[in-house]
Amino acid sequence: MSLVDVAVGETMFAATLLETPDQVGYLQVGRDVMLLFKETEVSLAKNLQGELSLRNRFSVTVNHIERGDIMSAIDLDFMGQVLTSVITTRGVNRLQLAVGEQIEALVKANEIALMECANAI
């Protein structure tokens, strides 16, 4: 088992993996990887203070909100990349999310997978 840290710009992400760098070559230091996680694993927060056990906490901007009766999809901008969070519509209403607003996204380390980049040498 490995706890892998990945830098995306100035933001650090952590992923808990079953593989080790000895088993999987792309886990070597300095290799480019893609971070993968399900949109249902992205939690959202406003005015969050204090420490959390979640290792992955990063600022995003709300681009679009598609409200459903029970679930809603929120398109987010993270450093020019579009991410989506799917949360309950009650959660969207409680947070009073608005397009253009900067909030925080959170993903547990054990919900992140890594994949070798196709252009890696």
Side-chain angles (χ1 to χ4, degrees), residues 43-110:
S43 297
L44 302 177
K46 285 175 70 171
N47 307 315
L48 188 60
Q49 295 180 342
E51 296 297 320
L52 296 172
S53 64
L54 276 89
R55 299 201 35 151
N56 302 305
R57 178 176 171 176
F58 50 101
S59 294
V60 294
T61 302
V62 177
N63 280 345
H64 178 74
I65 301 170
E66 185 176 332
R67 293 175 186 267
D69 292 335
I70 297 172
M71 302 297 288
S72 292
I74 299 89
D75 288 338
L76 308 163
D77 178 278
F78 173 69
M79 298 177 54
Q81 296 294 314
V82 177
L83 304 177
T84 301
S85 173
V86 173
I87 62 173
T88 64
T89 301
R90 287 181 183 175
V92 173
N93 294 338
R94 185 172 39 81
L95 290 172
Q96 298 179 347
L97 293 179
V99 172
E101 183 172 32
Q102 187 166 348
I103 60 173
E104 288 188 83
L106 304 108
V107 181
K108 291 174 64 174
N110 61 306

Short mmCIF file of all heavy atoms in Angstrom, two decimals, residues 43-110:
data_model
loop_
_atom_site.label_atom_id
_atom_site.label_comp_id
_atom_site.label_asym_id
_atom_site.label_seq_id
_atom_site.Cartn_x
_atom_site.Cartn_y
_atom_site.Cartn_z
N SER A 43 -17.06 16.47 -2.52
CA SER A 43 -17.90 17.23 -1.58
C SER A 43 -17.57 18.71 -1.74
O SER A 43 -16.48 19.08 -2.16
CB SER A 43 -17.64 16.79 -0.14
OG SER A 43 -18.00 15.44 0.03
N LEU A 44 -18.52 19.57 -1.38
CA LEU A 44 -18.33 21.00 -1.50
C LEU A 44 -18.52 21.68 -0.15
O LEU A 44 -19.31 21.22 0.68
CB LEU A 44 -19.33 21.58 -2.51
CG LEU A 44 -19.26 20.98 -3.92
CD1 LEU A 44 -20.34 21.59 -4.80
CD2 LEU A 44 -17.88 21.18 -4.52
N ALA A 45 -17.80 22.79 0.05
CA ALA A 45 -17.88 23.52 1.32
C ALA A 45 -17.74 25.01 1.08
O ALA A 45 -17.04 25.45 0.15
CB ALA A 45 -16.78 23.03 2.26
N LYS A 46 -18.40 25.78 1.94
CA LYS A 46 -18.26 27.23 1.97
C LYS A 46 -17.84 27.64 3.38
O LYS A 46 -18.30 27.04 4.35
CB LYS A 46 -19.61 27.89 1.65
CG LYS A 46 -20.00 27.85 0.20
CD LYS A 46 -21.38 28.39 -0.04
CE LYS A 46 -21.49 29.88 0.15
NZ LYS A 46 -22.80 30.40 -0.31
N ASN A 47 -16.98 28.64 3.45
CA ASN A 47 -16.57 29.17 4.74
C ASN A 47 -16.03 28.09 5.68
O ASN A 47 -16.26 28.13 6.88
CB ASN A 47 -17.73 29.92 5.42
CG ASN A 47 -18.33 30.97 4.51
OD1 ASN A 47 -17.61 31.73 3.88
ND2 ASN A 47 -19.65 31.00 4.43
N LEU A 48 -15.31 27.15 5.13
CA LEU A 48 -14.77 26.04 5.90
C LEU A 48 -13.55 26.49 6.69
O LEU A 48 -12.64 27.10 6.14
CB LEU A 48 -14.41 24.89 4.96
CG LEU A 48 -14.00 23.58 5.59
CD1 LEU A 48 -15.12 23.01 6.46
CD2 LEU A 48 -13.65 22.57 4.50
N GLN A 49 -13.56 26.19 7.98
CA GLN A 49 -12.44 26.55 8.84
C GLN A 49 -12.02 25.35 9.65
O GLN A 49 -12.81 24.45 9.90
CB GLN A 49 -12.83 27.68 9.78
CG GLN A 49 -13.15 28.98 9.08
CD GLN A 49 -13.53 30.07 10.05
OE1 GLN A 49 -13.87 29.81 11.20
NE2 GLN A 49 -13.48 31.30 9.59
N GLY A 50 -10.77 25.35 10.09
CA GLY A 50 -10.29 24.28 10.94
C GLY A 50 -9.65 23.16 10.16
O GLY A 50 -9.53 23.19 8.94
N GLU A 51 -9.23 22.17 10.89
CA GLU A 51 -8.55 21.02 10.30
C GLU A 51 -9.55 19.90 10.01
O GLU A 51 -10.53 19.74 10.72
CB GLU A 51 -7.47 20.51 11.25
CG GLU A 51 -6.36 21.52 11.49
CD GLU A 51 -5.58 21.85 10.23
OE1 GLU A 51 -5.32 20.93 9.43
OE2 GLU A 51 -5.25 23.04 10.04
N LEU A 52 -9.24 19.13 8.98
CA LEU A 52 -10.07 17.99 8.58
C LEU A 52 -9.18 16.78 8.36
O LEU A 52 -8.00 16.91 8.06
CB LEU A 52 -10.78 18.29 7.26
CG LEU A 52 -11.78 19.42 7.22
CD1 LEU A 52 -12.21 19.67 5.79
CD2 LEU A 52 -12.98 19.08 8.05
N SER A 53 -9.77 15.61 8.44
CA SER A 53 -9.01 14.41 8.11
C SER A 53 -8.86 14.25 6.60
O SER A 53 -7.95 13.58 6.14
CB SER A 53 -9.68 13.17 8.71
OG SER A 53 -10.96 12.98 8.13
N LEU A 54 -9.73 14.88 5.83
CA LEU A 54 -9.62 14.82 4.37
C LEU A 54 -8.36 15.52 3.93
O LEU A 54 -8.12 16.67 4.30
CB LEU A 54 -10.82 15.50 3.70
CG LEU A 54 -12.05 14.64 3.53
CD1 LEU A 54 -12.93 14.75 4.74
CD2 LEU A 54 -12.78 15.05 2.30
N ARG A 55 -7.54 14.85 3.14
CA ARG A 55 -6.26 15.41 2.71
C ARG A 55 -6.40 16.29 1.47
O ARG A 55 -5.54 17.10 1.20
CB ARG A 55 -5.28 14.28 2.44
CG ARG A 55 -5.06 13.48 3.71
CD ARG A 55 -3.82 12.71 3.70
NE ARG A 55 -2.74 13.37 3.01
CZ ARG A 55 -1.48 13.18 3.33
NH1 ARG A 55 -1.17 12.41 4.32
NH2 ARG A 55 -0.53 13.76 2.63
N ASN A 56 -7.45 16.10 0.71
CA ASN A 56 -7.60 16.82 -0.55
C ASN A 56 -8.67 17.89 -0.43
O ASN A 56 -9.86 17.61 -0.46
CB ASN A 56 -7.92 15.84 -1.67
CG ASN A 56 -6.84 14.79 -1.79
OD1 ASN A 56 -5.68 15.12 -1.95
ND2 ASN A 56 -7.21 13.53 -1.66
N ARG A 57 -8.21 19.12 -0.29
CA ARG A 57 -9.06 20.29 -0.10
C ARG A 57 -8.52 21.36 -1.03
O ARG A 57 -7.37 21.77 -0.89
CB ARG A 57 -8.95 20.70 1.36
CG ARG A 57 -9.70 21.91 1.77
CD ARG A 57 -9.53 22.08 3.28
NE ARG A 57 -10.07 23.36 3.72
CZ ARG A 57 -10.13 23.75 4.98
NH1 ARG A 57 -9.65 22.96 5.93
NH2 ARG A 57 -10.63 24.91 5.29
N PHE A 58 -9.34 21.80 -2.01
CA PHE A 58 -8.83 22.73 -3.02
C PHE A 58 -9.91 23.71 -3.45
O PHE A 58 -11.10 23.41 -3.44
CB PHE A 58 -8.25 21.97 -4.22
CG PHE A 58 -9.15 20.91 -4.78
CD1 PHE A 58 -9.88 21.14 -5.93
CD2 PHE A 58 -9.27 19.66 -4.18
CE1 PHE A 58 -10.71 20.17 -6.47
CE2 PHE A 58 -10.09 18.68 -4.70
CZ PHE A 58 -10.81 18.93 -5.84
N SER A 59 -9.47 24.93 -3.81
CA SER A 59 -10.38 26.01 -4.20
C SER A 59 -10.86 25.81 -5.64
O SER A 59 -10.06 25.47 -6.52
CB SER A 59 -9.69 27.36 -4.09
OG SER A 59 -9.40 27.64 -2.75
N VAL A 60 -12.14 26.04 -5.83
CA VAL A 60 -12.76 25.93 -7.15
C VAL A 60 -13.74 27.08 -7.31
O VAL A 60 -14.16 27.70 -6.32
CB VAL A 60 -13.49 24.58 -7.34
CG1 VAL A 60 -12.52 23.42 -7.33
CG2 VAL A 60 -14.57 24.39 -6.27
N THR A 61 -14.12 27.35 -8.56
CA THR A 61 -15.14 28.35 -8.84
C THR A 61 -16.34 27.64 -9.47
O THR A 61 -16.16 26.79 -10.35
CB THR A 61 -14.60 29.42 -9.83
OG1 THR A 61 -13.44 30.02 -9.24
CG2 THR A 61 -15.64 30.49 -10.10
N VAL A 62 -17.53 27.99 -9.03
CA VAL A 62 -18.76 27.39 -9.57
C VAL A 62 -19.01 27.97 -10.96
O VAL A 62 -19.15 29.19 -11.12
CB VAL A 62 -19.97 27.67 -8.64
CG1 VAL A 62 -21.25 27.12 -9.25
CG2 VAL A 62 -19.72 27.11 -7.25
N ASN A 63 -19.05 27.09 -11.97
CA ASN A 63 -19.30 27.51 -13.35
C ASN A 63 -20.76 27.37 -13.75
O ASN A 63 -21.29 28.18 -14.51
CB ASN A 63 -18.48 26.68 -14.34
CG ASN A 63 -17.05 27.14 -14.43
OD1 ASN A 63 -16.69 28.22 -14.00
ND2 ASN A 63 -16.21 26.29 -15.01
N HIS A 64 -21.40 26.30 -13.28
CA HIS A 64 -22.77 26.00 -13.71
C HIS A 64 -23.41 25.07 -12.69
O HIS A 64 -22.73 24.21 -12.13
CB HIS A 64 -22.75 25.32 -15.09
CG HIS A 64 -24.10 24.93 -15.59
ND1 HIS A 64 -25.01 25.84 -16.07
CD2 HIS A 64 -24.70 23.73 -15.68
CE1 HIS A 64 -26.10 25.20 -16.45
NE2 HIS A 64 -25.94 23.91 -16.22
N ILE A 65 -24.70 25.24 -12.47
CA ILE A 65 -25.44 24.37 -11.56
C ILE A 65 -26.64 23.81 -12.32
O ILE A 65 -27.45 24.57 -12.85
CB ILE A 65 -25.94 25.13 -10.31
CG1 ILE A 65 -24.76 25.74 -9.55
CG2 ILE A 65 -26.76 24.21 -9.41
CD1 ILE A 65 -25.15 26.71 -8.45
N GLU A 66 -26.71 22.49 -12.41
CA GLU A 66 -27.86 21.82 -13.03
C GLU A 66 -28.64 21.14 -11.92
O GLU A 66 -28.24 20.09 -11.41
CB GLU A 66 -27.40 20.80 -14.07
CG GLU A 66 -28.55 20.18 -14.82
CD GLU A 66 -28.07 19.24 -15.92
OE1 GLU A 66 -26.97 19.44 -16.45
OE2 GLU A 66 -28.84 18.32 -16.23
N ARG A 67 -29.74 21.76 -11.53
CA ARG A 67 -30.54 21.26 -10.41
C ARG A 67 -31.51 20.18 -10.87
O ARG A 67 -32.21 20.33 -11.85
CB ARG A 67 -31.35 22.39 -9.78
CG ARG A 67 -30.52 23.43 -9.09
CD ARG A 67 -31.41 24.59 -8.60
NE ARG A 67 -30.61 25.65 -8.07
CZ ARG A 67 -30.29 25.78 -6.79
NH1 ARG A 67 -30.72 24.89 -5.92
NH2 ARG A 67 -29.54 26.78 -6.38
N GLY A 68 -31.53 19.11 -10.11
CA GLY A 68 -32.52 18.07 -10.31
C GLY A 68 -33.45 18.03 -9.10
O GLY A 68 -33.25 18.78 -8.14
N ASP A 69 -34.43 17.17 -9.15
CA ASP A 69 -35.35 17.07 -8.01
C ASP A 69 -34.64 16.57 -6.76
O ASP A 69 -34.90 17.06 -5.66
CB ASP A 69 -36.51 16.12 -8.35
CG ASP A 69 -37.43 16.70 -9.40
OD1 ASP A 69 -37.49 17.94 -9.54
OD2 ASP A 69 -38.08 15.90 -10.10
N ILE A 70 -33.73 15.62 -6.92
CA ILE A 70 -33.04 15.03 -5.77
C ILE A 70 -31.55 15.32 -5.80
O ILE A 70 -30.96 15.69 -4.80
CB ILE A 70 -33.28 13.50 -5.72
CG1 ILE A 70 -34.78 13.24 -5.51
CG2 ILE A 70 -32.45 12.85 -4.63
CD1 ILE A 70 -35.18 11.81 -5.64
N MET A 71 -30.92 15.16 -6.96
CA MET A 71 -29.48 15.37 -7.10
C MET A 71 -29.22 16.52 -8.06
O MET A 71 -30.01 16.78 -8.97
CB MET A 71 -28.79 14.10 -7.64
CG MET A 71 -28.99 12.86 -6.78
SD MET A 71 -28.29 13.00 -5.13
CE MET A 71 -26.55 12.92 -5.50
N SER A 72 -28.09 17.19 -7.85
CA SER A 72 -27.68 18.29 -8.73
C SER A 72 -26.24 18.10 -9.14
O SER A 72 -25.43 17.55 -8.38
CB SER A 72 -27.82 19.64 -8.01
OG SER A 72 -29.17 19.95 -7.78
N ALA A 73 -25.91 18.55 -10.35
CA ALA A 73 -24.54 18.51 -10.86
C ALA A 73 -24.00 19.93 -10.88
O ALA A 73 -24.64 20.83 -11.44
CB ALA A 73 -24.50 17.90 -12.25
N ILE A 74 -22.85 20.13 -10.27
CA ILE A 74 -22.23 21.44 -10.20
C ILE A 74 -20.92 21.36 -10.98
O ILE A 74 -20.02 20.60 -10.63
CB ILE A 74 -21.96 21.88 -8.74
CG1 ILE A 74 -23.26 21.95 -7.94
CG2 ILE A 74 -21.28 23.24 -8.70
CD1 ILE A 74 -23.65 20.69 -7.29
N ASP A 75 -20.82 22.14 -12.06
CA ASP A 75 -19.58 22.22 -12.83
C ASP A 75 -18.68 23.25 -12.16
O ASP A 75 -19.11 24.36 -11.83
CB ASP A 75 -19.85 22.63 -14.28
CG ASP A 75 -20.50 21.53 -15.08
OD1 ASP A 75 -20.39 20.35 -14.69
OD2 ASP A 75 -21.13 21.85 -16.11
N LEU A 76 -17.41 22.85 -11.97
CA LEU A 76 -16.45 23.65 -11.23
C LEU A 76 -15.23 23.92 -12.08
O LEU A 76 -14.86 23.09 -12.92
CB LEU A 76 -16.02 22.90 -9.97
CG LEU A 76 -17.14 22.39 -9.07
CD1 LEU A 76 -16.63 21.33 -8.11
CD2 LEU A 76 -17.77 23.56 -8.33
N ASP A 77 -14.59 25.05 -11.86
CA ASP A 77 -13.33 25.35 -12.52
C ASP A 77 -12.22 25.19 -11.50
O ASP A 77 -12.23 25.83 -10.44
CB ASP A 77 -13.34 26.78 -13.06
CG ASP A 77 -12.01 27.13 -13.71
OD1 ASP A 77 -11.07 27.49 -12.97
OD2 ASP A 77 -11.90 27.05 -14.94
N PHE A 78 -11.25 24.33 -11.81
CA PHE A 78 -10.05 24.18 -10.99
C PHE A 78 -8.84 24.37 -11.91
O PHE A 78 -8.55 23.52 -12.75
CB PHE A 78 -9.98 22.79 -10.33
CG PHE A 78 -8.68 22.54 -9.63
CD1 PHE A 78 -8.35 23.23 -8.48
CD2 PHE A 78 -7.78 21.62 -10.13
CE1 PHE A 78 -7.14 23.01 -7.85
CE2 PHE A 78 -6.57 21.38 -9.51
CZ PHE A 78 -6.25 22.09 -8.36
N MET A 79 -8.23 25.53 -11.82
CA MET A 79 -7.04 25.84 -12.62
C MET A 79 -7.28 25.63 -14.11
O MET A 79 -6.45 25.07 -14.81
CB MET A 79 -5.85 25.00 -12.13
CG MET A 79 -5.46 25.27 -10.71
SD MET A 79 -4.12 24.22 -10.10
CE MET A 79 -2.86 24.48 -11.33
N GLY A 80 -8.45 26.02 -14.59
CA GLY A 80 -8.77 25.89 -16.00
C GLY A 80 -9.33 24.54 -16.41
O GLY A 80 -9.72 24.36 -17.55
N GLN A 81 -9.39 23.59 -15.48
CA GLN A 81 -9.96 22.27 -15.75
C GLN A 81 -11.38 22.22 -15.20
O GLN A 81 -11.64 22.73 -14.11
CB GLN A 81 -9.13 21.18 -15.07
CG GLN A 81 -7.73 21.06 -15.59
CD GLN A 81 -7.69 20.60 -17.03
OE1 GLN A 81 -8.37 19.66 -17.42
NE2 GLN A 81 -6.89 21.27 -17.84
N VAL A 82 -12.27 21.61 -15.94
CA VAL A 82 -13.65 21.47 -15.48
C VAL A 82 -13.78 20.18 -14.67
O VAL A 82 -13.42 19.10 -15.14
CB VAL A 82 -14.64 21.45 -16.66
CG1 VAL A 82 -16.06 21.22 -16.16
CG2 VAL A 82 -14.55 22.75 -17.45
N LEU A 83 -14.26 20.32 -13.45
CA LEU A 83 -14.58 19.19 -12.58
C LEU A 83 -16.07 19.26 -12.31
O LEU A 83 -16.66 20.33 -12.36
CB LEU A 83 -13.82 19.28 -11.26
CG LEU A 83 -12.31 19.39 -11.30
CD1 LEU A 83 -11.77 19.53 -9.89
CD2 LEU A 83 -11.72 18.18 -11.98
N THR A 84 -16.66 18.13 -12.00
CA THR A 84 -18.08 18.11 -11.65
C THR A 84 -18.26 17.47 -10.29
O THR A 84 -17.59 16.49 -9.97
CB THR A 84 -18.90 17.33 -12.70
OG1 THR A 84 -18.71 17.96 -13.98
CG2 THR A 84 -20.37 17.32 -12.37
N SER A 85 -19.14 18.05 -9.51
CA SER A 85 -19.54 17.47 -8.23
C SER A 85 -21.03 17.17 -8.31
O SER A 85 -21.81 18.01 -8.78
CB SER A 85 -19.29 18.45 -7.08
OG SER A 85 -19.82 17.97 -5.87
N VAL A 86 -21.41 15.97 -7.91
CA VAL A 86 -22.82 15.61 -7.84
C VAL A 86 -23.18 15.46 -6.38
O VAL A 86 -22.64 14.60 -5.68
CB VAL A 86 -23.12 14.32 -8.63
CG1 VAL A 86 -24.56 13.88 -8.42
CG2 VAL A 86 -22.83 14.52 -10.12
N ILE A 87 -24.04 16.36 -5.91
CA ILE A 87 -24.49 16.35 -4.51
C ILE A 87 -26.01 16.48 -4.50
O ILE A 87 -26.63 16.73 -5.54
CB ILE A 87 -23.84 17.48 -3.67
CG1 ILE A 87 -24.23 18.85 -4.20
CG2 ILE A 87 -22.32 17.31 -3.64
CD1 ILE A 87 -23.76 20.02 -3.33
N THR A 88 -26.60 16.33 -3.33
CA THR A 88 -28.05 16.48 -3.25
C THR A 88 -28.47 17.92 -3.52
O THR A 88 -27.73 18.86 -3.23
CB THR A 88 -28.59 16.07 -1.86
OG1 THR A 88 -28.07 16.95 -0.88
CG2 THR A 88 -28.25 14.61 -1.53
N THR A 89 -29.62 18.07 -4.09
CA THR A 89 -30.17 19.41 -4.33
C THR A 89 -30.39 20.12 -2.99
O THR A 89 -30.20 21.33 -2.90
CB THR A 89 -31.46 19.32 -5.15
OG1 THR A 89 -31.14 18.67 -6.40
CG2 THR A 89 -32.07 20.67 -5.43
N ARG A 90 -30.73 19.37 -1.96
CA ARG A 90 -30.84 19.97 -0.62
C ARG A 90 -29.50 20.58 -0.20
O ARG A 90 -29.46 21.64 0.40
CB ARG A 90 -31.26 18.93 0.41
CG ARG A 90 -32.70 18.52 0.32
CD ARG A 90 -33.02 17.52 1.40
NE ARG A 90 -34.39 17.07 1.31
CZ ARG A 90 -34.90 16.12 2.06
NH1 ARG A 90 -34.16 15.51 2.97
NH2 ARG A 90 -36.16 15.75 1.92
N GLY A 91 -28.40 19.90 -0.52
CA GLY A 91 -27.08 20.42 -0.20
C GLY A 91 -26.78 21.71 -0.97
O GLY A 91 -26.23 22.66 -0.41
N VAL A 92 -27.15 21.75 -2.23
CA VAL A 92 -26.97 22.96 -3.04
C VAL A 92 -27.75 24.11 -2.42
O VAL A 92 -27.25 25.23 -2.28
CB VAL A 92 -27.42 22.73 -4.50
CG1 VAL A 92 -27.40 24.03 -5.29
CG2 VAL A 92 -26.54 21.69 -5.17
N ASN A 93 -29.00 23.83 -2.04
CA ASN A 93 -29.85 24.87 -1.44
C ASN A 93 -29.30 25.33 -0.09
O ASN A 93 -29.28 26.53 0.20
CB ASN A 93 -31.28 24.36 -1.28
CG ASN A 93 -31.95 24.11 -2.62
OD1 ASN A 93 -31.55 24.65 -3.65
ND2 ASN A 93 -32.95 23.25 -2.63
N ARG A 94 -28.85 24.39 0.73
CA ARG A 94 -28.33 24.73 2.05
C ARG A 94 -27.08 25.60 1.94
O ARG A 94 -26.90 26.56 2.69
CB ARG A 94 -28.04 23.47 2.86
CG ARG A 94 -27.61 23.74 4.29
CD ARG A 94 -27.53 22.47 5.13
NE ARG A 94 -26.99 21.31 4.46
CZ ARG A 94 -25.69 21.07 4.29
NH1 ARG A 94 -24.79 21.89 4.75
NH2 ARG A 94 -25.29 19.96 3.69
N LEU A 95 -26.20 25.27 0.98
CA LEU A 95 -24.98 26.05 0.77
C LEU A 95 -25.25 27.36 0.02
O LEU A 95 -24.39 28.23 -0.03
CB LEU A 95 -23.95 25.24 -0.03
CG LEU A 95 -23.32 24.05 0.69
CD1 LEU A 95 -22.48 23.23 -0.27
CD2 LEU A 95 -22.49 24.52 1.87
N GLN A 96 -26.44 27.47 -0.56
CA GLN A 96 -26.81 28.64 -1.37
C GLN A 96 -25.75 28.91 -2.44
O GLN A 96 -25.26 30.03 -2.59
CB GLN A 96 -27.03 29.87 -0.48
CG GLN A 96 -28.16 29.70 0.49
CD GLN A 96 -28.38 30.91 1.39
OE1 GLN A 96 -27.54 31.81 1.47
NE2 GLN A 96 -29.51 30.93 2.07
N LEU A 97 -25.41 27.85 -3.18
CA LEU A 97 -24.39 27.96 -4.21
C LEU A 97 -24.85 28.86 -5.34
O LEU A 97 -26.02 28.86 -5.72
CB LEU A 97 -24.06 26.58 -4.78
CG LEU A 97 -23.37 25.61 -3.83
CD1 LEU A 97 -23.14 24.27 -4.52
CD2 LEU A 97 -22.07 26.18 -3.30
N ALA A 98 -23.89 29.64 -5.87
CA ALA A 98 -24.19 30.55 -6.97
C ALA A 98 -23.05 30.50 -7.99
O ALA A 98 -21.89 30.33 -7.63
CB ALA A 98 -24.35 31.98 -6.45
N VAL A 99 -23.41 30.64 -9.25
CA VAL A 99 -22.42 30.67 -10.32
C VAL A 99 -21.46 31.84 -10.08
O VAL A 99 -21.88 32.93 -9.70
CB VAL A 99 -23.10 30.79 -11.70
CG1 VAL A 99 -22.09 31.03 -12.81
CG2 VAL A 99 -23.93 29.54 -11.98
N GLY A 100 -20.17 31.57 -10.27
CA GLY A 100 -19.14 32.59 -10.07
C GLY A 100 -18.54 32.60 -8.68
O GLY A 100 -17.52 33.24 -8.44
N GLU A 101 -19.15 31.88 -7.78
CA GLU A 101 -18.70 31.85 -6.39
C GLU A 101 -17.49 30.92 -6.23
O GLU A 101 -17.42 29.87 -6.84
CB GLU A 101 -19.85 31.33 -5.53
CG GLU A 101 -19.62 31.31 -4.08
CD GLU A 101 -20.90 30.95 -3.32
OE1 GLU A 101 -21.74 30.19 -3.85
OE2 GLU A 101 -21.05 31.46 -2.21
N GLN A 102 -16.54 31.35 -5.39
CA GLN A 102 -15.39 30.50 -5.09
C GLN A 102 -15.69 29.74 -3.80
O GLN A 102 -16.08 30.32 -2.80
CB GLN A 102 -14.12 31.32 -4.92
CG GLN A 102 -12.90 30.43 -4.77
CD GLN A 102 -11.61 31.19 -4.94
OE1 GLN A 102 -11.58 32.32 -5.37
NE2 GLN A 102 -10.51 30.54 -4.60
N ILE A 103 -15.53 28.40 -3.88
CA ILE A 103 -15.80 27.51 -2.76
C ILE A 103 -14.66 26.50 -2.66
O ILE A 103 -13.69 26.59 -3.41
CB ILE A 103 -17.17 26.79 -2.93
CG1 ILE A 103 -17.17 25.95 -4.22
CG2 ILE A 103 -18.32 27.80 -2.92
CD1 ILE A 103 -18.40 25.09 -4.38
N GLU A 104 -14.79 25.55 -1.77
CA GLU A 104 -13.78 24.50 -1.64
C GLU A 104 -14.38 23.16 -2.02
O GLU A 104 -15.53 22.87 -1.71
CB GLU A 104 -13.24 24.44 -0.22
CG GLU A 104 -12.35 25.62 0.10
CD GLU A 104 -11.68 25.45 1.44
OE1 GLU A 104 -10.64 24.76 1.49
OE2 GLU A 104 -12.19 25.99 2.41
N ALA A 105 -13.58 22.37 -2.71
CA ALA A 105 -13.94 20.99 -3.04
C ALA A 105 -13.08 20.08 -2.18
O ALA A 105 -11.94 20.42 -1.85
CB ALA A 105 -13.71 20.72 -4.52
N LEU A 106 -13.63 18.92 -1.81
CA LEU A 106 -12.93 17.98 -0.95
C LEU A 106 -13.11 16.57 -1.49
O LEU A 106 -14.21 16.19 -1.90
CB LEU A 106 -13.49 18.05 0.47
CG LEU A 106 -13.46 19.43 1.11
CD1 LEU A 106 -14.87 20.00 1.19
CD2 LEU A 106 -12.84 19.39 2.45
N VAL A 107 -12.02 15.80 -1.49
CA VAL A 107 -12.06 14.41 -1.93
C VAL A 107 -11.18 13.60 -0.99
O VAL A 107 -10.03 13.98 -0.73
CB VAL A 107 -11.55 14.24 -3.38
CG1 VAL A 107 -11.63 12.78 -3.81
CG2 VAL A 107 -12.31 15.13 -4.34
N LYS A 108 -11.70 12.50 -0.47
CA LYS A 108 -10.90 11.63 0.40
C LYS A 108 -9.78 10.98 -0.40
O LYS A 108 -9.95 10.64 -1.57
CB LYS A 108 -11.79 10.56 1.03
CG LYS A 108 -12.78 11.11 2.03
CD LYS A 108 -13.75 10.05 2.53
CE LYS A 108 -13.04 8.95 3.29
NZ LYS A 108 -13.97 8.00 3.91
N ALA A 109 -8.64 10.79 0.25
CA ALA A 109 -7.47 10.21 -0.41
C ALA A 109 -7.75 8.82 -0.96
O ALA A 109 -7.24 8.44 -2.01
CB ALA A 109 -6.28 10.17 0.55
N ASN A 110 -8.57 8.04 -0.27
CA ASN A 110 -8.86 6.68 -0.75
C ASN A 110 -9.86 6.66 -1.90
O ASN A 110 -10.14 5.60 -2.45
CB ASN A 110 -9.32 5.78 0.40
CG ASN A 110 -10.59 6.27 1.04
OD1 ASN A 110 -10.66 7.41 1.47
ND2 ASN A 110 -11.57 5.41 1.14
#
